Every structure is written in C-alpha cells, then in structure tokens.
Amino acid sequence: MTKSESKRSGASAISAAAAAAEQVNNGSLDAGFPEQSPAGKAKVMKQTSRESLQRRNTECEVYDDGTNTFFWRAHTLTVLFILTCALVYVTLLEETPQDTAYNTKRGIVASILVFLCFGVTQAKDGPFTRPHPAYWRFWLCVSVAYELFLIFILFQTVHDGRQFMKYIDPKLGVPLPERDYGGNCLIYDPGNTTDPFHNVWDKMDGFVPAHFLGWYIKTLMIRDWWMCMIISVMFEFLEYSLEHQLPNFSECWWDHWIMDVLLCNSLGIYCGMKTLAWLSMKPYQWQGLWNIPTYKGKIKRIAFQFTPYSWVKFEWKPASNLRRWLAVLGIIFMFLLAELNTFYLKFVLWMPPEHYLVLLRLVFFVNVGGVAMREIYDFMDDPTFHKKLGQQAWLVSTITVTEFLIVLKYDPHTLTLPIPFSVMQCWFLGILLILIWTLWRFFIRDITLRYKETRRRKQEAPVDWDRQLGNGSTAAAASGRSKLNGSSETLRQRKS
Amino acid sequence: MTKSESKRSGASAISAAAAAAEQVNNGSLDAGFPEQSPAGKAKVMKQTSRESLQRRNTECEVYDDGTNTFFWRAHTLTVLFILTCALVYVTLLEETPQDTAYNTKRGIVASILVFLCFGVTQAKDGPFTRPHPAYWRFWLCVSVAYELFLIFILFQTVHDGRQFMKYIDPKLGVPLPERDYGGNCLIYDPGNTTDPFHNVWDKMDGFVPAHFLGWYIKTLMIRDWWMCMIISVMFEFLEYSLEHQLPNFSECWWDHWIMDVLLCNSLGIYCGMKTLAWLSMKPYQWQGLWNIPTYKGKIKRIAFQFTPYSWVKFEWKPASNLRRWLAVLGIIFMFLLAELNTFYLKFVLWMPPEHYLVLLRLVFFVNVGGVAMREIYDFMDDPTFHKKLGQQAWLVSTITVTEFLIVLKYDPHTLTLPIPFSVMQCWFLGILLILIWTLWRFFIRDITLRYKETRRRKQEAPVDWDRQLGNGSTAAAASGRSKLNGSSETLRQRKS
C-alpha cells in the first residue's frame, strides 16, 4: 500500500517537473536568464526537468485509483498471532522426540520458517509490487537463507561439505559417475542407413526448451537485445574455453552455434523482445476489483495482477560514459559467472544434473535476478551518488561470489588445469580489444574532440571577436565548452 | 539520508496541514459549508488538519539543514567489497582445520556475521536515526538472530537444550547450586550488637544501582509516569505471588516496598521524567558539522548526535477508547512477562545470574525495547488501520512469547506448582476490578451519557422546534450526536 502511494506521488512529481520543464522551454530559456530571478534556482529547475523528462521516456505512466483491499493490507498482527499459535501447539502439545539429530534438523527448519514469517511481513519492499509485494519479500528472505547456507558450506572441509548435503537429501554426497561426452559430430552420418540424422535428433532433448525458456526470461531481465546477444555468444565461447575442465561443456560445433545460439537462444530473445515491446506499450491502469463493472473486466484485472505494476525500459547506454561502460562490463561478467556457477557448483558438490535442488536454484535465480537487474539499473541511472545499491542486487552479487569461492575451494585442481594455448590467445586478444576501445572511447576521443573544437574556434575567432566586443571575453570561454556540454548554451550563444 | 528527508517532508506536510486548518477555522467553518465548494473535500481537509494538529502537540518541530556527510552515506558497495575480500582471504588463503565441530561453529558464526553485514547496510530503517540508522539496523538484525536461536532451543529436548549452551560457553550446562534466600527480616536486629542494621546493609548490593538504572531506562522507553509506577508496583506483586516457584523472588517486606519501589524505582522514574521533560523542551536543530563556525558548537553538535533526532511525547490515553485500553493492558502484560522471563529463563537454562549472557540479554532489551515501544505507540496512534506494526515491535513480541514458551517447555513442573490460595484470591479480585471498570467505562457509561443526552434534548426540544422549523428535521438528528462527537457541530448548531 505504501508502495503504490509512493509510486503515485513519484508520478505526480514527475508530471509536475515536466510541466515546469515546459514552462522553462516556452518562457525564459530563449530570452536568457532574466536578472530578477536568481539564475542558480533556474538552473536547478532546468536540470531537474531534463532528468525527469529523460526518466519519463523510459518509465511508463501509471494510473491507480488507490483501492487497497483486504488482500493488500499488511497482516502483521495476523501473522504474529498464527505464528504464536503454531509455536504453542508444536512445543507444548507435541511430544519432543529423543532423537538429537532429528531435533537439530527440525530446529533449523523451524528457525528458517520463523525467519520467513518475519521477512515476508516485515522486510523492506523492493522495486516490484505485482502480483504482491509479499511475493518479492519472500524471495528476498530466501536469498538471505541461501547465502547463509552457502557461507556455512564454504567454511567446511571439502569432505564435510559434500557429506553435509546428505542432511538435505540422503541420496547426495556420493561421487558422480564419469560420463562420456565425446561423440560423433557428423550431421549426416552415412554409416547409419536407417536414420542418417540420428546425431541431430540425439541432441533434441530437454535442453532445447530449457535454452529457449531460459533466454526468454533472461531477456525480460536484461531488457536489451544487444546485451542478451553478447551474453549468449560469450557463453558459447566460455564453453569452448572450459571444455578441458568440465567435459559436459564439449559439444559439436553445430550444437554450439546453430542449435544453441541461432535457434534456441535467438528465438527466446526474439520472443522476449516482443513481450517487452507489449509491456512497454500496454496501459498501466489499476482499478480496484470491485470498481470494475463487467465480469470480463474483473477476469482481465485478475490476470493483469500478474503483469508488472509499471514499466521501465532499460537503456543501458554503455558508451555514454566510463562509469556506465564499466558497470555494463561488470554486469555481463557477473551474469556469465552466475551461469558458470550452475555447472561448476553441481560438479564440486556432487549434485546429479537432474536433482531437484539444481532446478530450485534456477527457479530462485529467475525470481531474484529480475529484481536485482532492476535495482542495478536504478542505481546506475540515479544521478546522485547517495543512493544505496538495492538489497536484492547486493545479495545476488554476494551469492554469486560465494558460489564461485565454494567452487574454487572445493576443487582447485579442476579450476587450475592448464588452459590450452589457443584459448589463451583468443582471450588475450579479446581483452586487449576491449581495453583499446575503452581507451579510445573515453580518453583519446575526448582529447581529439577537444582539439578539433579548439581549432574550429581559432578559425572562427577573428569574426566572433569583432561582433562580441560588447559582451566581453567570457562569452568565448563559454562557447569553448558548448559542443561537449550540450544544446542550451550553444543556442544562447548563437542567438546573441 | 532518506530518513531525514522523509522526516523533513513529514514536518512540512504537518505545517501545510496546520496552515490549512487555520484557514478552515478562520474562514468557512463558522459560516457553514458554502455550496460552491464540495462539502466532502472540505470535510476531509478538516479531519486531516485536526489529526495533524493533535500530532503536532506530541511531536516536536525539527530544523535540519540536510547536510549529509560521508559518515551518513549508505556504504553498500564498500561493505560488499570488504566482505568479498574477507571471504576470499578466509576461504582461500587460510588452511581449513580438519575439526568438524570447530568448522561447524565457525561456519555458523560466519553466517551470522554475513547476515549482520547485510542487515546493517540493507535492512529497513526504524523510527530512530541517532546516533546512526545503522546502529538501529544492527540491533534489528541481532533481534532476528536471537529469535532464531530461541526457536532452535525451543525445538530441542530439555537435556539437549541445556547441553547446547556448552557450545557457547563450556562452563554452562551445569545444574545451578541451591541457594538459601530465606533470611532475617528485622530492620533493627538487637541480637547483633556491633551493627544492628546489618540486614539493611546486606541488601545494599549491586542490585540497588541496577534497579535505579533499569527504571531510568524503562521510563525513557515508556515515557509515562503512571504506566511506569503501575508496572513497578505490579512487578513487586508478581514477586510476592511467584516466590513459591522461584526462591530468589522472596524478599523482606521493606526490601520490596521501601528499597525497591520507593527508593530505587521511584528515583529512577523521577530522573527519567526529568530527562523526558528536557528532551521534549530542547530545540531540535541539526546543522552539518562543517557548517558550525565555533569549536564549542562542533563539540556540542557531536554530543547531540547521541540525543534523538526529534521527540514524540507519548500520550497513551488508555481511557479514551476500548482499543487503546486493551492495547495498554497488553503492553503492561508483555512488559511484565519480559521481566519475568529474565529470571525464569536463567533458571531453566541453568545460567548463573552473574553470567555475561544474562547481562547481554538486558543490554539487548534496552536497545530494542525503546524502538519497539515507539513503534507500538505509532501503531496505536495511527488513525488508519492499514499501517503495519513496526518490525522491532513484532520481533520483541515474538521473542517474549518464545522465551516464555521455552520456560514453559523446559520446566513445566515449577510453573505449575500450586499457587497459594490467598494469592489466587488477590489476583481474582484484581482481574475482576479491571473487568468491572472496563465494562463501566466503555459500555455502561456510554449508555448513561446517551440517556442523559436524550432526556436533555427532550426538555429543550419544544423551544428548538419552534426556532428551527425552516432548517428541517435533520438538524435535530445532528444535535443528538453533538455531545459525543465533539465541538464543531455543536458550534454550528448553536450559531444557527
């Protein structure tokens, strides 16, 4: 409820700022800053409005009639009461078994459940409110619990850590069987007369829809075609580079590029982009369910409860400045690291790929990844440096790092297997190219632009000096920065 | 930073509402609601202003220049970086010992530390901001950790739970020695010729300053003279009633009433009330440290960092309506329960009274109790029902209940010792009196008032009817509720 209110007040603030911006544009800007109004104040107003206008382009407008039904209220007292009753029942009316191991396990599970009770009703809300803020608070608490579990595992010896998994599922803690991933890579196998394409059909397993669905969701998280494609291609490169460590990374060339990148991933990204386009165009009008007259409208409203409350288009703009560029590189790095962790973690903790914990971890990442990505975007997009990095983004970063550290601690041998020389060369070249581009884009290009600007100014100077003698010498200095700083000052210069 | 901003916006909203209220009072109220402005809107304005004016009486005005130095910023990225470095160091550069028990302990401690890192930077802020919001976030996280620990203890068998304390301190888990609390209660003991007052001096131990300090802090929490005195006296009654269960509750009559209630507690409450008066009168002006010119001013500013950001006088008003009455009874009940838990918990968990954990628990309650009390007051004072019960209040309630359940589970024998008949009679009488008063105050008194009002109206009616024939019959109905509802409607009635 507080969430929706803050959203609405935010929206009204934006529209007020936008109105102010129009006023500035129609009024005093062309005429220069009049002396009677303090220039500093006007400048602040101008800047605010520019930011809010920019923000308005990426953020959709929301209409909300502010209805908050029973469903929406914070049930803090209800949860407290039910929790108390449950504790009274379990501890006083049930007989405590004499089995210490069982009680310990039960105590830990109960602690986690109480933590979830607290968190789901009381934790800080994130950026998402649909279908219910409690849903996202739940996943936040799960993140905390998962991170604490990872920290615990990290502090055990390798043997103890693997055996600890037995407490979760007694079938775990057993070494994985060696698998043969080498195979025939012929698309058309003339040796097999009954079905020469049998190699292709063999690869058509559950991973095809998994790849598609995965990339559909990742596109909804990242909300940018280019970044998705780069991550998708980069991951195949990583698979090539690391197939000497994990045998299940070794695939046929056509499996890498045609089936994974071209078919599954691209189709997923394409469908994701279509959904994004729909989400950014659809109207965001929230009416209370009882205020909707028709039956069809009510059904539609219930269905729309599972769509976002409002929509923000992500414009990562990595090339706009050095900070954003480094941030985008960092995001891509962490994303790829999290994807690699999926494979390495099950390898070092002896988890069979089809185990339900592996699937649960993916479901977890799907739910927290979207929130984290939005929080990172908000953090980057915020012009002030005071803002906090969002809680879910903070946790997802810590979880990714902790998972990587577990892999590093549990199997340093696999991770330090010598990398083939050709792979090293490729990576070295890639990193070099990125470095050169960074240097050129954010350091050399600026110097070149500045030099060109100075030369142009020198050529124009004799003419300008004649005209502007009355205005004094400060005008020329202002004009020197005009190209770099933007439009308004140039306009003023030209008009004068 | 966000906190201070919200505070300031809150203050400006209050002053705006107050200004609106003055407008209403000077303008349209006496003249009735003019037809050209919609009456609904005006009513809403009136109500808001009345609430905010009431709120203004209990809340002080705050001036803040909005300076936020480095000290105030959210160091989310810094903490993330330091945490990552620490994890890398501990897990990769340190050798993991082969001792499973030691590693388990270390893993749990590390999990708690990581949880604190997360919570201190990211948890939801409470009502307090001084000396630093992170301080109160820290205690929130400690509450969560303590509650989870209690839940774990609650799910163990009695033997395992007591032995579990050995993991925290190897000296624990040993039965407490029987102590003889019976003694000579003569104030003047003629048998002892060298020092006939030796019984009095014997009682002058560390508990005297402890009682004084405890009640000083409790007064700052509760901020109400009457409630403090009631709880102080009630606790002595509880000691009398429960001395058959816990022998250390048995004290001499003059120790109960003169030394505890009259001297230590009353003096503590008196000093607390003086401090409260000072806090509610002192100006709340917050300037950035670098904006203060003098050296003395800077020192004063640093010292004032440890005083509250703003001040809210608590006006519990238990008799104003049934909801507040029940809430105040509930608060007193929970307060006394938490105090009893201090004694019972160390009894059932075999903790010596001088153990540092007992002291730590009290330090913990001092820190979280103040926040919880403020949150409960805000929750009660809020006219809408949408508001959440504050997170710390929620946790303190859960902790108190869980502690009580542990006591109940670990030693049902002591708690069900038959209560002496005289004690039963006293409690029965007390509860009966409270019930009767409740019935009279919130049910019978209302009916009596309503009856008197009806009779008065009937007597006045013939005169009124003659005058008000033009206004129609609705005026009489409105006058019927005038005494109960308050002032403005009566005013209108009289004027017309």
Side-chain angles (χ1 to χ4, degrees):
Chain A
M1 182 228 141
T2 49
K3 194 71 207 169
S4 70
E5 274 187 357
S6 75
K7 287 266 173 185
R8 272 188 298 151
S9 68
S12 67
I14 287 170
S15 57
E22 280 169 13
Q23 213 179 355
V24 171
N25 283 329
N26 299 336
S28 55
L29 195 67
D30 283 0
F33 297 116
E35 285 299 314
Q36 59 265 34
S37 80
K41 203 174 174 184
K43 258 183 196 166
V44 169
M45 257 179 87
K46 202 185 70 185
Q47 203 181 346
T48 318
S49 64
R50 203 186 282 159
E51 273 158 18
S52 64
L53 272 177
Q54 189 198 338
R55 188 83 193 165
R56 203 193 191 186
N57 287 335
T58 59
E59 206 165 352
C60 68
E61 268 184 72
V62 173
Y63 163 80
D64 190 336
D65 72 350
T67 309
N68 277 300
T69 53
F70 172 82
F71 179 62
W72 285 101
R73 265 170 229 145
H75 300 282
T76 46
L77 287 181
T78 320
V79 173
L80 187 63
F81 180 73
I82 294 173
L83 177 65
T84 307
C85 291
L87 286 179
V88 167
Y89 174 78
V90 173
T91 58
L92 300 183
L93 301 177
E94 270 190 12
E95 189 79 32
T96 313
Q98 290 300 317
D99 181 358
T100 306
Y102 174 75
N103 283 338
T104 308
K105 219 169 169 178
R106 206 154 157 250
I108 290 171
V109 171
S111 298
I112 294 173
L113 288 182
V114 170
F115 177 66
L116 288 180
C117 276
F118 168 71
V120 168
T121 46
Q122 293 280 9
K124 192 163 68 177
D125 279 323
F128 292 171
T129 51
R130 285 290 185 270
H132 196 289
Y135 179 79
W136 302 107
R137 291 198 292 262
F138 169 77
W139 285 108
L140 178 78
C141 295
V142 172
S143 320
V144 174
Y146 181 54
E147 167 64 11
L148 299 188
F149 164 75
L150 288 176
I151 292 284
F152 182 81
I153 289 286
L154 185 61
F155 275 76
Q156 307 310 306
T157 57
V158 177
H159 175 259
D160 286 349
R162 282 174 183 156
Q163 295 308 313
F164 181 79
M165 303 305 288
K166 271 202 161 77
Y167 286 109
I168 299 169
D169 183 349
K171 286 188 214 111
L172 291 175
V174 182
L176 294 180
E178 290 272 337
R179 288 200 187 186
D180 181 30
Y181 281 91
N184 196 333
C185 273
L186 284 174
I187 297 179
Y188 184 87
D189 183 5
N192 191 322
T193 44
T194 52
D195 186 3
F197 289 102
H198 70 105
N199 280 330
V200 178
W201 307 133
D202 278 356
K203 305 278 174 186
M204 289 285 189
D205 51 5
F207 284 97
V208 169
H211 265 267
F212 169 77
L213 194 69
W215 270 102
Y216 177 72
I217 292 166
K218 284 175 208 163
T219 310
L220 292 186
M221 277 183 204
I222 303 175
R223 306 186 195 175
D224 185 90
W225 192 83
W226 266 105
M227 261 173 88
C228 288
M229 284 313 282
I230 287 170
I231 294 175
S232 159
V233 171
M234 281 288 288
F235 189 73
E236 300 302 323
F237 274 117
L238 279 175
E239 286 193 330
Y240 267 120
S241 317
L242 298 169
E243 64 183 23
H244 67 286
Q245 296 184 358
L246 283 196
N248 58 344
F249 278 160
S250 72
E251 292 171 343
C252 299
W253 67 268
W254 47 268
D255 196 4
H256 274 302
W257 299 116
I258 297 176
M259 288 186 57
D260 282 4
V261 173
L262 261 185
L263 291 180
C264 302
N265 298 4
S266 296
L267 203 65
I269 296 174
Y270 176 79
C271 293
M273 292 310 290
K274 283 283 155 202
T275 313
L276 286 177
W278 176 74
L279 283 169
S280 67
M281 296 304 289
K282 96 181 243 301
Y284 286 89
Q285 295 184 341
W286 301 104
Q287 266 189 303
L289 196 61
W290 311 124
N291 303 346
I292 300 171
T294 63
Y295 193 69
K296 202 182 152 193
K298 278 188 210 290
I299 296 282
K300 209 174 159 188
R301 174 68 183 75
I302 292 172
F304 271 27
Q305 186 68 27
F306 296 90
T307 63
Y309 179 83
S310 67
W311 193 251
V312 175
K313 262 193 220 166
F314 285 1
E315 290 175 356
W316 293 102
K317 288 180 278 186
S320 65
N321 62 51
L322 185 62
R323 188 172 158 243
R324 286 188 88 99
W325 171 242
L326 292 179
V328 167
L329 284 186
I331 292 166
I332 294 177
F333 176 80
M334 291 299 276
F335 209 99
L336 290 170
L337 188 62
E339 295 226 40
L340 286 180
N341 281 342
T342 314
F343 296 91
Y344 278 98
L345 206 59
K346 61 187 180 192
F347 179 73
V348 300
L349 288 179
W350 294 350
M351 309 274 287
E354 64 280 357
H355 197 271
Y356 71 93
L357 283 182
V358 178
L359 191 68
L360 274 187
R361 185 183 165 278
L362 291 180
V363 170
F364 164 75
F365 265 99
V366 162
N367 277 290
V368 299
V371 185
M373 205 52 94
R374 166 70 188 274
E375 284 178 345
I376 291 171
Y377 182 78
D378 284 348
F379 183 70
M380 279 168 62
D381 216 36
D382 194 57
T384 68
F385 278 87
H386 291 307
K387 220 188 147 172
K388 284 177 161 192
L389 176 67
Q391 51 188 357
Q392 192 71 73
W394 197 96
L395 273 172
V396 169
S397 316
T398 327
I399 286 173
T400 308
V401 168
T402 317
E403 284 184 341
F404 179 68
L405 286 175
I406 289 177
V407 170
L408 214 56
K409 176 176 172 171
Y410 275 54
D411 201 347
H413 172 70
T414 302
L415 258 84
T416 47
L417 279 179
I419 303 165
F421 186 63
S422 56
V423 173
M424 281 285 272
Q425 278 177 316
C426 283
W427 280 105
F428 185 74
L429 193 72
I431 292 168
L432 197 71
L433 282 176
I434 291 176
L435 263 180
I436 291 173
W437 190 86
T438 310
L439 274 177
W440 175 76
R441 181 62 184 76
F442 299 108
F443 298 96
I444 300 168
R445 189 165 154 270
D446 263 21
I447 298 170
T448 325
L449 275 183
R450 221 172 278 251
Y451 172 72
K452 275 189 188 156
E453 179 71 19
T454 322
R455 205 173 55 184
R456 194 187 56 79
R457 194 150 42 90
K458 268 188 193 156
Q459 286 170 350
E460 285 181 11
V463 195
D464 271 16
W465 277 106
D466 292 348
R467 278 197 208 157
Q468 294 186 351
L469 269 175
N471 284 344
S473 58
T474 48
S479 139
R481 294 208 317 269
S482 67
K483 188 141 189 184
L484 290 171
N485 278 352
S487 55
S488 64
E489 278 181 312
T490 325
L491 261 170
R492 265 167 73 204
Q493 209 61 35
R494 296 265 158 86
K495 291 244 166 181
S496 72
Chain B
M1 187 224 141
T2 49
K3 193 71 209 170
S4 70
E5 274 187 358
S6 76
K7 286 264 172 187
R8 274 187 297 152
S9 68
S12 66
I14 287 169
S15 57
E22 280 169 14
Q23 213 179 356
V24 171
N25 283 330
N26 299 336
S28 56
L29 195 67
D30 284 0
F33 297 117
E35 285 298 314
Q36 58 265 35
S37 81
K41 204 175 173 183
K43 259 184 197 166
V44 170
M45 258 178 86
K46 201 185 70 183
Q47 202 181 345
T48 318
S49 63
R50 202 185 285 161
E51 274 157 18
S52 64
L53 273 178
Q54 189 199 339
R55 187 84 194 160
R56 206 193 192 184
N57 288 336
T58 58
E59 204 163 357
C60 68
E61 268 185 73
V62 174
Y63 164 80
D64 190 336
D65 71 351
T67 309
N68 276 299
T69 53
F70 172 81
F71 179 62
W72 284 101
R73 264 170 228 144
H75 300 282
T76 45
L77 286 181
T78 320
V79 173
L80 186 62
F81 180 73
I82 294 172
L83 177 65
T84 307
C85 290
L87 286 179
V88 167
Y89 174 78
V90 173
T91 57
L92 300 183
L93 301 177
E94 271 189 12
E95 190 79 32
T96 313
Q98 290 300 316
D99 181 358
T100 305
Y102 174 76
N103 283 337
T104 307
K105 220 171 172 178
R106 207 156 158 247
I108 290 171
V109 172
S111 298
I112 294 174
L113 288 182
V114 169
F115 177 65
L116 288 180
C117 275
F118 168 71
V120 169
T121 47
Q122 293 281 6
K124 193 163 67 175
D125 279 322
F128 292 172
T129 52
R130 287 284 186 272
H132 194 289
Y135 179 79
W136 302 107
R137 290 198 294 263
F138 169 78
W139 284 108
L140 178 78
C141 295
V142 172
S143 321
V144 174
Y146 180 55
E147 167 63 13
L148 299 188
F149 164 76
L150 289 176
I151 291 284
F152 181 81
I153 289 287
L154 184 61
F155 275 77
Q156 307 311 306
T157 58
V158 177
H159 175 260
D160 287 349
R162 282 174 183 157
Q163 295 309 312
F164 181 80
M165 303 305 286
K166 270 203 162 75
Y167 286 108
I168 299 167
D169 183 349
K171 285 188 216 112
L172 292 174
V174 183
L176 294 180
E178 290 273 338
R179 289 198 188 189
D180 180 29
Y181 282 92
N184 195 334
C185 274
L186 285 173
I187 297 179
Y188 183 87
D189 185 4
N192 191 323
T193 46
T194 51
D195 186 3
F197 290 102
H198 71 103
N199 280 330
V200 177
W201 307 134
D202 278 358
K203 305 278 175 188
M204 289 284 189
D205 51 5
F207 284 98
V208 170
H211 265 268
F212 170 77
L213 193 70
W215 270 104
Y216 177 73
I217 292 166
K218 281 175 210 162
T219 311
L220 293 186
M221 275 184 206
I222 301 173
R223 308 185 193 175
D224 186 89
W225 192 85
W226 265 105
M227 260 174 88
C228 286
M229 286 311 285
I230 288 170
I231 293 176
S232 160
V233 170
M234 281 289 287
F235 188 73
E236 301 302 322
F237 275 117
L238 278 175
E239 285 193 332
Y240 267 119
S241 316
L242 298 170
E243 65 185 20
H244 66 286
Q245 295 184 359
L246 282 197
N248 58 344
F249 278 159
S250 73
E251 293 170 344
C252 299
W253 67 268
W254 45 269
D255 197 5
H256 275 301
W257 299 116
I258 297 174
M259 289 188 57
D260 282 4
V261 172
L262 261 185
L263 291 179
C264 302
N265 298 3
S266 295
L267 204 65
I269 295 173
Y270 176 78
C271 293
M273 291 311 289
K274 283 283 156 202
T275 313
L276 286 177
W278 176 72
L279 282 170
S280 68
M281 296 303 290
K282 97 180 244 300
Y284 287 88
Q285 295 184 340
W286 302 104
Q287 267 189 304
L289 197 60
W290 313 125
N291 302 346
I292 299 172
T294 63
Y295 193 70
K296 200 181 154 196
K298 277 186 211 289
I299 297 282
K300 209 174 158 188
R301 175 67 183 77
I302 290 172
F304 271 27
Q305 184 69 28
F306 295 91
T307 63
Y309 178 84
S310 66
W311 193 251
V312 176
K313 261 192 221 166
F314 285 1
E315 290 176 356
W316 293 104
K317 287 179 278 187
S320 64
N321 62 50
L322 185 62
R323 189 172 158 241
R324 286 188 87 100
W325 171 244
L326 292 179
V328 167
L329 283 186
I331 292 167
I332 294 176
F333 176 79
M334 290 301 273
F335 209 99
L336 290 170
L337 188 62
E339 296 226 40
L340 286 180
N341 281 341
T342 314
F343 297 91
Y344 277 97
L345 206 60
K346 61 187 181 193
F347 179 73
V348 300
L349 288 179
W350 293 351
M351 310 274 287
E354 64 280 357
H355 197 272
Y356 71 92
L357 282 182
V358 177
L359 190 71
L360 273 187
R361 183 184 166 278
L362 290 180
V363 170
F364 163 75
F365 264 100
V366 163
N367 277 290
V368 300
V371 186
M373 204 52 95
R374 165 71 188 273
E375 284 177 347
I376 290 170
Y377 182 79
D378 284 349
F379 182 70
M380 278 168 62
D381 215 37
D382 194 56
T384 66
F385 278 87
H386 289 308
K387 219 187 148 174
K388 284 178 163 194
L389 176 68
Q391 50 188 357
Q392 192 73 72
W394 198 96
L395 272 173
V396 169
S397 318
T398 326
I399 286 173
T400 309
V401 168
T402 316
E403 284 183 340
F404 179 67
L405 287 176
I406 288 177
V407 171
L408 213 56
K409 175 175 174 170
Y410 274 54
D411 201 346
H413 173 70
T414 301
L415 258 83
T416 48
L417 279 179
I419 303 165
F421 187 62
S422 56
V423 173
M424 280 284 275
Q425 278 176 316
C426 284
W427 280 105
F428 185 74
L429 192 71
I431 292 167
L432 196 70
L433 282 177
I434 291 176
L435 263 179
I436 291 172
W437 190 86
T438 309
L439 274 177
W440 174 78
R441 181 63 183 79
F442 300 108
F443 298 97
I444 300 168
R445 189 165 155 270
D446 263 20
I447 297 168
T448 324
L449 275 183
R450 222 173 278 250
Y451 172 72
K452 277 190 188 155
E453 178 73 19
T454 322
R455 208 173 50 185
R456 193 188 58 80
R457 196 147 44 88
K458 266 188 194 155
Q459 287 172 347
E460 286 181 11
V463 194
D464 273 16
W465 275 107
D466 292 349
R467 279 200 208 156
Q468 294 187 351
L469 268 175
N471 285 343
S473 58
T474 48
S479 141
R481 293 206 318 269
S482 66
K483 190 144 187 183
L484 289 171
N485 279 351
S487 55
S488 64
E489 277 180 316
T490 325
L491 261 171
R492 265 168 72 204
Q493 211 59 37
R494 296 265 159 86
K495 292 242 169 184
S496 74

